[in-house]
Amino acid sequence: MSVLLSILAVGIALYLILYYNVIRGSRCTSSVTLKGKTAIVTGSNTGIGKATALDLAKRGARVILACRSKQKAEAAVYDIRRESGSNEVVFMHLDLGSLKSVRSFAETFLKTELRLDLLINNAGMLGPGYTEDGFGMVFGVNHLGHFLLTCLLLDRLKECGPSRVVNVSALLHRLGSVDFGLLGTHKDLVSGQSTWHNFRAYCHSKLCNVLFTRELANRLEGTSVTTYSLHPGVIHTEFGRNLKLWQRLFLEPISKLFFMDVERGAQTTLHCALQEGIEPLSGRYFSSCALQEVGAKGRDDALARKLWEVNRVGDDRLAQWTIGQW
């Protein structure tokens, strides 16, 4: 019995060390207020997106919850208004799995909103399927939809500068790659829909987020718009809702013990959106509210430029997804 108690005590001690030094993460220390500013947060009806939107609302920003589910988003609007005391929180429909929906959102936003100071591309998913336009769902939602959204809103961001674009990536970008041959033949960065393919697609999409941020910063040099990518930490959210039941049951107890809560998980996003003085670091990658180095592929300017051009123009086979103007 004493041996078992000793093992238990050591296990608890190790867990506490891990929690306070790794799992808990760092906090955004910015005291910036956002009265008169407008922010868009994609995927903000739940998880770290909702926590991010709540913090921005508490700081006085007008916050647009850009979400696919009207029911969930309206419930989130109610919660955020109640907790923040702000009525400047509204829902606008956005389905990142539909380029038509992305265009419609941008058109509506530009007609109805005078400002855009923060664009936080937070939404993400892991799971099988294809978008309305025939792209792999993970690639389409995590990267391509956000690419188009950002391009369509850049002029408004420039008009309201200084402004920022924040792209939520992940540490798993280090395992990612970009196969332009597969993208041309499959409209995806993987060749199948198995659990392994879905995981690989996620890693690839997170690398695309990093590369997009890098190239966007290069193209925005000399303007008043800056951009950052980040790893939010390993978060206990509804992120894996598209996984199979057995996969969710396996991950649930692990995530509750070892993953951050959503409020902690939003801190690096908030740091990139709010911290003063990081403008010279546009295009860079953050984790735990600090500058971090990305993987080697994430530093490849030629790869970032090619990804941008493929996204923007496509080829004859993919002419229907020409989505950029510059």
Side-chain angles (χ1 to χ4, degrees), residues 11 18 22 62 89 91 93 104-105 110 118 134 153 169 174 187 203 209 212 255 263 267 269 277 284 305 312 319 322:
L18 181 66
V22 179
R62 177 171 174 81
V89 182
F91 159 64
H93 180 262
S104 177
F105 172 90
L110 293 173
L118 291 172
L153 298 177
S169 181
R174 292 178 175 272
K187 298 178 75 172
C203 297
N209 295 155
F212 170 45
S255 66
E263 192 266 338
Q267 296 306 305
T269 300
R284 303 293 293 278
R305 191 178 310 113
R312 187 179 66 87
T322 299

Side-chain angles (χ1 to χ4, degrees), residues 187-230:
K187 298 178 75 172
D188 202 353
L189 295 174
V190 292
S191 59
Q193 288 284 303
S194 69
T195 299
W196 173 246
H197 283 112
N198 294 335
F199 171 73
R200 293 297 298 159
Y202 179 78
C203 297
H204 299 334
S205 72
K206 295 293 102 178
L207 174 61
C208 288
N209 295 155
V210 171
L211 292 170
F212 170 45
T213 303
R214 192 174 184 91
E215 180 63 14
L216 180 62
N218 288 336
R219 291 171 180 264
L220 290 173
E221 188 173 358
T223 74
S224 57
V225 185
T226 53
T227 181
Y228 315 90
S229 63
L230 66 104

Side-chain angles (χ1 to χ4, degrees), residues 243-256:
L243 297 176
K244 296 176 182 178
L245 177 61
W246 72 266
Q247 293 168 330
R248 297 199 305 271
L249 291 176
F250 173 75
L251 288 173
E252 185 68 15
I254 297 174
S255 66
K256 285 188 175 180

Side-chain angles (χ1 to χ4, degrees), residues 52 73 118 133 239:
T52 300
L118 291 172
D133 306 279
F239 170 77

Side-chain angles (χ1 to χ4, degrees), residues 126 141 162 231 246 271 297 317:
L126 170 63
V141 170
H231 170 55
W246 72 266
H271 176 85
K297 291 178 182 176
R317 185 179 176 86

Side-chain angles (χ1 to χ4, degrees), residues 28 30 32 34 52 56 117-120 163-166 228 230 267-276 278:
C28 172
S30 173
V32 167
L34 299 173
T52 300
L56 299 179
D117 303 274
L118 291 172
L119 173 58
I120 300 179
S163 54
R164 297 184 182 184
V165 178
V166 178
Y228 315 90
L230 66 104
Q267 296 306 305
T268 304
T269 300
L270 293 168
H271 176 85
C272 291
L274 304 172
Q275 187 63 43
E276 296 174 311
I278 65 170

